[in-house]
Amino acid sequence: MSVSASPSRLSPNDVGSKVISPVPSSSALEPSADLKPLADSKLSVDLKPSADLKSSGDLDPSLSGALTARDGSESHLEEEIRSLKEELSQIKVQSPSPVLEVLDTSKLPPSYKDNNSKEVKAIQYCKNLIQQYNHLCNTRRPLFIKPLNECQVKKLVCTTIVPTQLPYHELLDWPEIAEFVAGYLNYDFLKPPYELPATLYSPQTVIERLHGHCFEYSNVLCSMLIGAGYDAYVVSGYATREVCLADLSYNKCPFVEEDQVVYTAEQTKNVCRYTARPARWFKSEYELRMATKVQGQRKKEEDEKREAEEKARQLLEAPPPDDLEGRRVHSWVMVLAGRRDISQTFFIEPTTGVAHPTGWDQYLGIESLWNEKNYYINMQEEKELNYDIGDSRQWEYLFPGQDLHIKISPEELKEKKTTLALMGDTCADELFFDVPMSWCLPLYISRDDYDRKYPNGKRSRRYKYCLVEDFCRYLLPDGLVRKMYIYSDLAHQELRYTHCFYQDRSDRLESRLTHTATGKIVEKFGYGRDDAIREHHYLASSPGPERYHVLTFEPGKRTDEVYRREEDATTVKHFFRNRADRKILKETKFGPCGKVLENPKLLLPHPRPIETITEEFERNPEVPANDDIAKVTFNLCTDEIEIQYHVEDERIVASSRHFSKPPSWWDETQVLAWSPDLHSCFEANVLVGPKGELELYQMLIHLMKMESKTREITRLTERESRHIFKTRQKEEDKLELVKTYVQADRDAALRSVRLKLKAQAKANRILARSDILRDYLEPFMHRVGLDEISNKKQAIRIKDDCLRDLKEALISQANMIKEQFTKEMKIIETTQVWYHDHFTSLTQSDLMDFRAFLTQHLFTAHILEQRLISLKESAPLKYQDLYDTMCKDKRLEYFLI
């Protein structure tokens, strides 16, 4: 549906064009005079009886005796009623008056409370424009051009926009900006919905109050978009009831991926010249035409039925009619093409953050639009609007300033100046007058408020067949940021599945989809897991091993090149990619537990016995097709091996071989005997000669080794699978969120640890650059708990401990060197004994190796001997040096004299 205004040149009775008829006067829409507020009336209580209780004419005769008996107590009852009436008459009941929010304007700058000279002149421009607009377009609604701000001062709407770019890297593109504004504020409806709001607060005040109406929403969004480099404008117009009330229950959820049916084109078959002729056609052409006709009629009826059901469904899902359709005032944001790689003009609904094309049928009309540079009035009569705002015939501008969009010739500008002068415009002497600077404070959102993202940290949105709950990061302990409930009916009673999205989880889980009917769960993980899992399918009723599981791995991260694993109670399939042996599939089938079919050395404590193992391989062009294995099947129940080769280019069947294992094949002490009964084959190419028995025997031995290896790998994959599921259970039980630098800085414990490590690292760097040695007495003083030496007893104890520690260190070093020397000498003696016993049978190469080995150990023993001698010579000197140093130490000198 098109978007247009209602210019005065159009007749209200013109039905062909999209015209919004003017709203009736306010008296026609005012509530009835009978509905007076409760505050204007007083509540009075009258407890007088409506008739005399003594008169019994209207009473039942059986009650007259009872009334007569109670005449004595009637006077006492009347006194109680009179006293109760006096007490109730003192109670004043009034209707509660609405609590109006009072803003503290004392801290606001002077620009909020007064207009400067340029703003006063701009207001004069607005007054002249309104006079001309009311004179020429008397059937159109008033313009929203100079509302009151929070200080009850009239301000131009263009000066209320303050372009600001917030210091958060997420708010650089329009989708993130629109989503943030839609979730950060609470939406206030316009009351009444067919009138323009009287006030327009500054964007910073709206952000601090955390709520605002649609015009304030648009102001905040437009300010942020212009600050990010977009050519954005605030639009004043009309919209449907659902848009004005932010009712999304009739819209499809944009986060739900619709079920897509993939259609594949039929593959053309290669027609060979030497194919057999098709069989003759023995069916009646008349019956065929009649069957086709009946089938076409049946298809037509089904299409009509489906179309009727679709119309009924759309009628059921359509919103109810609106009495104020076309009169509800609304505001949104328009982004013009040209900047930031925007190739097409589009609208943004600020209350939802969703973009819509310019022809969206929910926007019913546009009166005006503005940005921080100018104000434009829609003067178009066409059904489809032209959004070239530089065309002054389509969009009437307010200020003839230096706006790049305005394309006006000097003749038109001179004519406009003359017209304004004739109408008494005092501002007509100025050829150019730009918009005053914004009087608003720049936008500011603290890090805590930005991380909160929503007013209460969470929000809920109701769509058609869907309910979406959003949470800010780190609000929930499991890292949940969005949860969607998808239903099968409009009443949201039959739940189809739930879809949860996560962030900052240590297990890298990104989303979890749970089907209600089947209990199937689909988990998707991010990059970086140790097991390289990207996707996991399983059933909620049986999450353990040896059940239904589908694992998808990150390509190229596993050494076995497995990218998909499918498992159930009896079958396990592994899919490979880019393997050196060209293997693409491995399928293992298991039998019932308790039946031993394998070598006992390869069994797990409670294994599933393997029945068959099937492996498939890609075609190797370097090997003939008759020798290139396409599929090999190891049957462990019957001890048989089936081989199927690839099909040759000009053949329709493939060659195959069948092997049977010899008796006692599992006994390693037995020698396997070959028999022709162990092999049978089918050769598709009769020109290929049969293979010899030796070659077949070697092939059987190779296949048996291949079976043993793949069986061991199967058991290893079983253990790996159990380990994966056990690890996932531990991750769910002990879940931790990976905190960002900002979140870690807010945590007192983490911040103290980080500061402590930082201080320790700084001290280590200072100590590494320092030439001052550490205090040699500090460890011994710390051992006895002393900060300083105060008496002779303490000095003697520290001296003895220090000398004893040096002595023990020297002795320990000597013993270590001596032990290594003894080992080397033992190796040398053993080598010499071996040489004397075998020197007659040694070759020249063995002699060279012996000499090199003996030389190396003799050199090591000599070095150890020299070190031991040097240590014995230097030990007394080190001991005496330490004693002299302690005697000269000022802390010990006084007490050791």
Side-chain angles (χ1 to χ4, degrees):
M1 187 177 293
S2 62
V3 179
S4 63
S6 57
S8 60
R9 291 185 289 269
L10 290 180
S11 174
N13 298 324
D14 189 1
V15 185
S17 60
K18 180 71 165 50
V19 179
I20 300 176
S21 59
V23 176
S25 60
S26 59
S27 61
L29 296 176
E30 289 180 354
S32 175
D34 297 336
L35 301 177
K36 296 182 179 180
L38 187 59
D40 299 338
S41 63
K42 297 181 179 180
L43 180 62
S44 61
V45 180
D46 189 4
L47 297 179
K48 286 185 178 182
S50 59
D52 192 0
L53 292 176
K54 294 182 179 181
S55 60
S56 59
D58 298 331
L59 298 178
D60 190 275
S62 61
L63 298 177
S64 59
L67 291 175
T68 304
R70 299 172 64 179
D71 287 341
S73 61
E74 183 178 354
S75 59
H76 179 67
L77 180 62
E78 288 180 355
E79 291 179 359
E80 291 183 356
I81 292 175
R82 189 180 303 107
S83 63
L84 179 61
K85 180 180 178 180
E86 292 177 357
E87 293 179 2
L88 293 177
S89 62
Q90 297 178 1
I91 301 176
K92 304 296 182 180
V93 181
Q94 295 181 353
S95 62
S97 58
V99 179
L100 300 178
E101 182 182 4
V102 180
L103 295 176
D104 184 11
T105 60
S106 60
K107 299 181 181 179
L108 296 177
S111 61
Y112 281 66
K113 305 173 184 178
D114 198 3
N115 290 325
N116 55 28
S117 59
K118 195 169 185 178
E119 288 178 330
V120 172
K121 189 173 291 187
I123 295 297
Q124 183 64 29
Y125 266 90
C126 296
K127 291 181 179 179
N128 296 334
L129 174 68
I130 292 173
Q131 291 177 2
Q132 300 172 35
Y133 179 78
N134 294 335
H135 176 71
L136 298 176
C137 308
N138 52 6
T139 60
R140 289 182 59 173
R141 298 291 302 278
L143 296 176
F144 188 72
I145 190 169
K146 50 184 183 64
L148 300 175
N149 67 350
E150 48 264 50
C151 296
Q152 301 302 311
V153 178
K154 288 187 178 181
K155 293 288 186 177
L156 180 64
V157 290
C158 299
T159 60
T160 311
I161 298 176
V162 49
T164 308
Q165 183 175 3
L166 295 177
Y168 304 113
H169 68 277
E170 296 90 351
L171 302 180
L172 295 179
D173 298 326
W174 71 263
E176 289 76 13
I177 296 175
E179 178 68 19
F180 172 76
V181 173
Y184 189 78
L185 302 176
N186 288 319
Y187 183 44
D188 296 338
F189 304 142
L190 294 178
K191 295 180 181 179
Y194 48 81
E195 290 185 4
L196 293 169
T199 60
L200 181 65
Y201 291 171
S202 64
Q204 182 59 29
T205 303
V206 174
I207 288 177
E208 292 176 357
R209 295 172 66 236
L210 292 179
H211 61 85
H213 52 71
C214 56
F215 286 89
E216 293 171 341
Y217 260 81
S218 301
N219 253 8
V220 175
L221 178 57
C222 189
S223 300
M224 297 177 64
L225 290 176
I226 295 176
Y230 292 96
D231 191 8
Y233 298 81
V234 177
V235 180
S236 174
Y238 311 95
T240 60
R241 175 185 54 196
E242 287 71 28
V243 174
C244 295
L245 300 180
D247 185 6
L248 302 175
S249 59
Y250 298 99
N251 299 345
K252 292 183 179 180
C253 181
F255 312 111
V256 178
E257 299 179 359
E258 297 292 338
D259 298 333
Q260 297 181 358
V261 180
V262 180
Y263 297 95
T264 57
E266 296 183 359
Q267 299 180 356
T268 57
K269 298 181 179 179
N270 297 327
V271 180
C272 183
R273 293 177 56 188
Y274 303 101
T275 56
R277 293 181 179 180
R280 295 185 63 181
W281 188 261
F282 293 104
K283 293 185 179 179
S284 172
E285 296 182 359
Y286 173 76
E287 293 180 355
L288 183 61
R289 288 197 302 269
M290 295 302 296
T292 306
K293 183 177 180 180
V294 172
Q295 186 177 1
Q297 185 68 21
R298 187 182 298 111
K299 183 178 179 182
K300 182 179 179 180
E301 294 176 356
E302 292 177 356
D303 293 342
E304 292 177 354
K305 182 179 179 181
R306 190 181 302 108
E307 184 178 357
E309 292 177 353
E310 181 67 20
K311 289 182 179 180
R313 186 184 64 83
Q314 293 179 359
L315 184 62
L316 181 63
E317 296 177 356
D322 183 16
D323 297 336
L324 298 177
E325 184 177 3
R327 299 181 179 182
R328 295 181 181 271
V329 178
H330 192 61
S331 176
W332 61 93
V333 175
M334 180 181 70
V335 180
L336 280 184
R339 297 183 187 175
R340 292 290 307 269
D341 297 332
I342 301 299
S343 59
Q344 189 175 3
T345 302
F346 62 93
F347 294 146
I348 300 178
E349 175 55 40
T351 59
T352 60
V354 181
H356 302 286
T358 54
W360 194 40
D361 57 354
Q362 301 294 318
Y363 291 147
L364 305 178
I366 293 179
E367 288 287 353
S368 60
L369 53 91
W370 63 88
N371 63 356
E372 84 284 7
K373 296 181 180 179
N374 215 329
Y375 190 92
Y376 302 90
I377 305 173
N378 182 19
M379 303 301 296
Q380 301 180 59
E381 300 179 6
E382 291 79 6
K383 187 176 181 180
E384 297 293 335
L385 293 185
N386 180 14
Y387 293 97
D388 183 10
I389 61 176
D391 190 354
S392 59
R393 296 172 300 178
Q394 308 292 339
W395 297 90
E396 182 68 27
Y397 59 88
L398 175 58
F399 300 101
Q402 301 292 340
D403 195 345
L404 298 178
H405 288 290
I406 297 178
K407 304 172 185 177
I408 183 171
S409 62
E411 293 78 8
E412 296 182 21
L413 185 60
K414 185 176 180 180
E415 181 181 357
K416 184 176 182 62
K417 176 183 175 182
T418 306
T419 304
L420 294 176
L422 292 175
M423 297 185 63
D425 191 349
T426 59
C427 302
D429 294 334
E430 299 184 5
L431 292 178
F432 295 100
F433 181 82
D434 54 350
V435 178
M437 294 183 62
S438 178
W439 52 271
C440 305
L441 292 174
L443 299 182
Y444 172 75
I445 301 176
S446 63
R447 169 59 73 171
D448 294 338
D449 294 338
Y450 174 74
D451 290 340
R452 187 181 64 242
K453 197 174 182 179
Y454 308 112
N456 298 321
K458 59 182 179 180
R459 69 171 177 181
S460 179
R461 290 175 289 178
R462 183 185 180 96
Y463 293 92
K464 182 168 59 175
Y465 300 111
C466 181
L467 180 64
V468 181
E469 294 179 351
D470 293 321
F471 307 91
C472 67
R473 295 175 64 180
Y474 304 104
L475 178 66
L476 300 181
D478 58 350
L480 182 66
V481 295
R482 174 172 291 172
K483 188 172 184 179
M484 299 192 305
Y485 302 88
I486 290 81
Y487 298 88
S488 301
D489 58 334
L490 292 175
H492 290 191
Q493 299 294 331
E494 299 179 4
L495 182 63
R496 290 176 55 197
Y497 61 90
T498 60
H499 202 175
C500 302
F501 297 87
Y502 303 90
Q503 283 186 5
D504 307 306
R505 287 176 60 113
S506 57
D507 58 356
R508 308 283 183 176
L509 181 64
E510 292 182 349
S511 66
R512 178 183 288 130
L513 189 146
T514 305
H515 293 268
T516 305
T518 61
K520 182 179 179 181
I521 299 177
V522 180
E523 295 179 342
K524 293 184 178 181
F525 300 86
Y527 293 95
R529 285 184 60 90
D530 295 337
D531 49 15
I533 297 178
R534 290 304 309 278
E535 195 170 329
H536 183 199
H537 299 233
Y538 63 96
L539 297 178
S541 58
S542 55
E546 300 180 7
R547 297 294 185 269
Y548 170 77
H549 290 279
V550 177
L551 294 173
T552 303
F553 300 94
E554 188 176 346
K557 295 299 182 180
R558 292 177 57 96
T559 56
D560 55 359
E561 299 297 341
V562 176
Y563 72 93
R564 184 179 177 86
R565 172 189 171 96
E566 298 178 0
E567 178 181 359
D568 55 20
T570 59
T571 307
V572 176
K573 292 183 180 180
H574 292 84
F575 298 87
F576 304 90
R577 185 182 296 168
N578 301 326
R579 280 179 62 103
D581 57 358
R582 298 180 179 272
K583 186 189 297 185
I584 59 175
L585 174 64
K586 176 184 176 182
E587 181 180 0
T588 305
K589 293 185 178 180
F590 297 90
C593 296
K595 183 179 180 180
V596 179
L597 302 174
E598 308 174 66
N599 191 337
K601 293 187 296 182
L602 300 178
L603 293 179
L604 294 175
H606 299 285
R608 292 181 297 173
I610 301 176
E611 290 187 350
T612 60
I613 300 177
T614 303
E615 295 182 349
E616 297 182 5
F617 301 86
E618 290 180 330
R619 178 75 173 92
N620 187 2
E622 299 178 358
V623 180
N626 285 332
D627 296 332
D628 189 11
I629 298 177
K631 181 178 179 181
V632 56
T633 303
F634 303 101
N635 195 327
L636 277 69
C637 295
T638 59
D639 291 340
E640 296 178 347
I641 303 175
E642 294 282 347
I643 300 177
Q644 182 177 350
Y645 296 95
H646 284 278
V647 181
E648 293 182 335
D649 296 338
E650 298 181 356
R651 300 189 181 277
I652 59 176
V653 294
S655 302
S656 62
R657 294 185 184 277
H658 175 80
F659 287 94
S660 298
K661 298 179 185 178
S664 303
W665 60 270
W666 50 270
D667 192 355
E668 298 179 356
T669 61
Q670 299 291 330
V671 177
L672 302 180
W674 171 257
S675 174
D677 298 337
L678 302 178
H679 169 260
S680 62
C681 69
F682 167 75
E683 289 288 349
N685 189 356
V686 295
L687 300 179
V688 177
K691 297 182 180 296
E693 293 187 356
L694 178 60
E695 186 176 0
L696 294 175
Y697 178 76
Q698 294 176 350
M699 186 182 298
L700 176 61
I701 298 299
H702 172 72
L703 291 174
M704 292 175 62
K705 292 181 179 179
M706 183 177 175
E707 176 190 339
S708 177
K709 182 178 180 180
T710 189
R711 185 170 48 188
E712 293 179 2
I713 294 175
T714 300
R715 291 307 184 189
L716 291 177
T717 55
E718 279 190 299
R719 298 174 187 172
E720 180 191 13
S721 177
R722 293 176 182 273
H723 177 70
I724 288 175
F725 301 143
K726 188 176 181 180
T727 303
R728 284 292 301 129
Q729 185 64 33
K730 290 182 179 180
E731 291 174 349
E732 291 292 338
D733 295 340
K734 300 180 180 180
L735 179 63
E736 295 181 358
L737 298 182
V738 180
K739 295 187 177 181
T740 60
Y741 176 81
V742 177
Q743 294 293 331
D745 189 66
R746 294 175 183 172
D747 193 339
L750 295 178
R751 184 171 63 253
S752 61
V753 172
R754 180 175 59 84
L755 294 177
K756 184 177 180 181
L757 293 176
K758 185 177 180 180
Q760 184 178 359
K762 183 178 180 180
N764 293 336
R765 289 195 300 269
I766 295 175
L767 183 61
R769 292 193 300 265
S770 177
D771 297 334
I772 303 175
L773 299 178
R774 294 184 59 187
D775 186 9
Y776 66 100
L777 295 180
E778 180 181 357
F780 306 99
M781 296 174 63
H782 180 70
R783 185 183 302 172
V784 296
L786 296 177
D787 294 333
E788 60 181 6
I789 301 174
S790 59
N791 52 50
K792 186 175 182 179
K793 183 177 181 180
Q794 294 176 355
I796 294 174
R797 179 177 179 181
I798 291 176
K799 181 201 70 171
D800 294 342
D801 291 346
C802 188
L803 293 175
R804 187 185 309 107
D805 189 77
L806 176 61
K807 182 179 180 181
E808 292 177 357
L810 293 174
I811 293 174
S812 176
Q813 186 177 0
N815 292 334
M816 188 182 301
I817 295 175
K818 186 177 180 180
E819 183 179 356
Q820 293 294 331
F821 178 77
T822 304
K823 288 183 180 180
E824 293 295 331
M825 294 301 300
K826 187 175 182 181
I827 292 175
I828 292 172
E829 293 176 0
T830 305
T831 305
Q832 290 178 349
V833 171
W834 176 86
Y835 174 75
H836 286 295
D837 294 342
H838 301 84
F839 76 97
T840 56
S841 61
L842 296 179
T843 61
Q844 189 67 23
S845 177
D846 296 338
L847 288 174
M848 294 178 64
D849 295 341
F850 168 74
R851 291 172 183 173
F853 179 79
L854 186 61
T855 302
Q856 178 66 30
H857 284 277
L858 286 173
F859 175 77
T860 304
H862 176 70
I863 294 298
L864 293 173
E865 185 180 6
Q866 293 297 324
R867 288 183 178 179
L868 186 59
I869 295 173
S870 176
L871 180 62
K872 290 181 179 180
E873 293 177 354
S874 61
L877 300 178
K878 292 181 179 180
Y879 194 86
Q880 184 65 34
D881 186 26
L882 178 61
Y883 181 79
D884 296 341
T885 302
M886 287 190 295
C887 291
K888 296 178 181 180
D889 196 327
K890 295 182 180 181
R891 294 170 293 180
L892 301 175
E893 181 181 5
Y894 176 78
F895 300 104
L896 296 179
I897 297 175

